[in-house]
Amino acid sequence: MADGRVPSAQSGENLLFLTDEQLRQGIEAMFFAYRGFTADPDRILSDMAYGRAHHRAVHFINRAPGTTVNNLLNILGVTKQSLNRVLRTLIEDGLVESKVGKADKRERHLFLTEEGHALEQKLSDAQRVRMRMAYREAGPDAVAGFRTVLEAMMDREMRNAYGRLKDSGT
Amino acid sequence: MADGRVPSAQSGENLLFLTDEQLRQGIEAMFFAYRGFTADPDRILSDMAYGRAHHRAVHFINRAPGTTVNNLLNILGVTKQSLNRVLRTLIEDGLVESKVGKADKRERHLFLTEEGHALEQKLSDAQRVRMRMAYREAGPDAVAGFRTVLEAMMDREMRNAYGRLKDSGT
DNA sequence: AGCATATGTCAGTGTTGTTGACATTCCAAG
DNA sequence: CTTGGAATGTCAACAACACTGACATATGCT
């Protein structure tokens, strides 16, 4: 257990003998890959006064236009105060529009402005370029496996949120 | 381009027609999965006075005992000031030991103490549990694909660093 | 001796997370 | 209808952790 080696780890057909070492490699792969994954948008954002949090907000508002603050909160998994700071600057800068709800006036429905869409496009273009290259390099089967493992790695609530978004986009 | 739909996306054999929508789903999967990936250690760390940065340092020192500060700097991709803050607290708290290099006395070689190992074990255990479940749920083929895509997503330097670590562990 | 390298430190700043307090709005029980 | 609780969103203050820039120290190399 200390070393992570398993005496005789034959690669069974459906049984998975997973050594600590194999899992550790997966952990490190996640770490390094996520760094690459965020590197391109981060570069773009650092030139502006924005950060990764702004990116996330813009992404999901674009993805689900008219979503409420509370909704966004649940998806992003941060406190409303944290999100609010980000949202405020985005609204002040004219990238996001906040409309008071018609049915429930407590709610604010969020939309991207023209300018907001432009930023979203710019950021996600950068991210998609890398994603596309990785997908092409790895091939379709690998991509399917990639997605399967990622889904299995999510918390349950997030798996649900992800599923809803996925379906809405089709 | 605006909508991300591709006119006739037949699934060719080796050609990959990737719609923006497919890529976007991959992006979101990465986001949600990474949150799950870090959730368990984060919970443990927040009870102590440590954060994710400490986890990373402890992980890689455990992985490559005797590594130098500079080495760690390159792997973690942060500034020395940032790393130093973390390292200082870890050394003060007796989790990490810093030994002056024998060949080159400018270098400091980093090791985990008994106590440091204990924390590393605790953190990576939590992370491996989730990883193991995800791997089991997804199956061996999916895991292989997962790793392939992640590697393709890394920056080149990181791919090299990852490769070296991977080999050293076998 | 003189320059480069490796490390550590101090000071300042920015993003992003947190908690606490509070205003507004809705809804349902009395 | 009023009142109190729940839901929603905002403001303020603080902590973690990244960054830059400047500088000190010790060492290695030519």
Side-chain angles (χ1 to χ4, degrees):
Chain A
M1 178 102 184
D3 189 38
R5 216 58 53 81
V6 153
S8 65
Q10 66 270 42
S11 56
E13 302 147 36
N14 41 13
L15 270 180
L16 270 179
F17 292 99
L18 297 167
T19 64
D20 282 6
E21 173 57 29
Q22 288 172 310
L23 294 167
R24 200 185 297 273
Q25 283 176 26
I27 289 169
E28 283 164 4
M30 264 311 260
F31 171 67
F32 290 125
Y34 198 75
R35 273 249 299 280
F37 171 70
T38 54
D40 303 320
D42 280 359
R43 251 189 299 277
I44 295 173
L45 288 159
S46 72
D47 293 342
M48 323 165 74
Y50 297 139
R52 210 176 283 180
H54 299 82
H55 181 191
R56 292 197 283 258
V58 165
H59 174 101
F60 285 108
I61 294 174
N62 174 68
R63 183 65 147 167
T67 190
T68 63
V69 173
N70 222 345
N71 228 310
L72 207 49
L73 233 48
N74 292 326
I75 289 178
L76 296 178
V78 296
T79 58
K80 59 182 177 174
Q81 295 89 331
S82 189
L83 175 60
N84 189 258
R85 192 183 336 102
V86 167
L87 235 38
R88 201 186 330 166
T89 67
L90 287 173
I91 291 171
E92 280 171 5
D93 296 353
L95 301 189
V96 168
E97 201 178 355
S98 163
K99 292 183 184 169
V100 174
K102 265 188 290 197
D104 188 335
K105 286 184 203 162
R106 292 173 301 180
E107 294 179 337
R108 300 297 134 90
H109 297 278
L110 303 169
F111 301 88
L112 292 186
T113 64
E114 195 81 14
E115 205 180 339
H117 264 110
L119 177 61
E120 198 283 331
Q121 199 72 42
K122 192 172 167 186
L123 292 173
S124 62
D125 271 356
Q127 207 159 31
R128 273 198 298 268
V129 164
R130 183 184 293 256
M131 204 57 130
R132 183 176 283 116
M133 287 204 309
Y135 272 22
R136 275 196 207 283
E137 192 178 323
D141 292 348
V143 169
F146 167 72
R147 294 265 300 258
T148 304
V149 174
L150 287 190
E151 269 191 70
M153 205 179 298
M154 298 176 194
D155 278 333
R156 187 135 51 84
E157 318 94 71
M158 287 308 108
R159 212 185 289 199
N160 294 337
Y162 172 70
R164 279 193 297 277
L165 282 171
K166 204 169 62 170
D167 297 339
S168 80
T170 329
Chain B
M1 178 118 189
D3 190 39
R5 220 54 56 78
V6 155
S8 63
Q10 65 271 42
S11 56
E13 300 146 39
N14 41 13
L15 268 180
L16 270 178
F17 291 99
L18 298 165
T19 64
D20 281 5
E21 175 57 29
Q22 287 172 309
L23 294 167
R24 197 184 300 271
Q25 283 176 24
I27 288 169
E28 283 164 5
M30 260 314 256
F31 170 67
F32 289 125
Y34 197 76
R35 272 249 299 280
F37 171 71
T38 55
D40 305 319
D42 280 358
R43 252 188 300 278
I44 295 172
L45 288 159
S46 72
D47 293 341
M48 323 165 75
Y50 297 138
R52 207 176 286 179
H54 299 83
H55 181 192
R56 291 196 285 257
V58 165
H59 174 99
F60 285 108
I61 293 174
N62 173 69
R63 182 64 148 166
T67 189
T68 63
V69 173
N70 227 340
N71 229 309
L72 204 50
L73 235 46
N74 291 327
I75 288 177
L76 296 177
V78 297
T79 58
K80 62 176 178 178
Q81 294 91 329
S82 191
L83 176 59
N84 190 258
R85 192 185 337 107
V86 168
L87 232 38
R88 203 185 329 170
T89 69
L90 288 174
I91 291 171
E92 279 170 7
D93 296 353
L95 302 187
V96 169
E97 202 180 353
S98 163
K99 292 182 184 168
V100 174
K102 265 188 291 196
D104 187 335
K105 289 185 202 161
R106 291 171 304 180
E107 294 180 338
R108 302 297 136 88
H109 297 278
L110 303 169
F111 302 87
L112 292 186
T113 64
E114 196 81 12
E115 205 182 338
H117 265 111
L119 177 61
E120 198 283 332
Q121 200 71 41
K122 192 172 168 186
L123 292 172
S124 63
D125 270 357
Q127 206 158 32
R128 272 198 299 268
V129 164
R130 183 184 292 258
M131 203 58 129
R132 183 176 282 118
M133 288 204 309
Y135 272 22
R136 276 196 207 283
E137 191 178 324
D141 293 347
V143 169
F146 167 72
R147 295 264 300 258
T148 305
V149 173
L150 286 191
E151 271 193 65
M153 206 179 298
M154 298 176 193
D155 278 333
R156 186 137 51 85
E157 318 94 70
M158 288 308 108
R159 212 185 290 198
N160 293 338
Y162 172 70
R164 277 192 299 276
L165 283 171
K166 205 171 58 173
D167 296 339
S168 78
T170 331

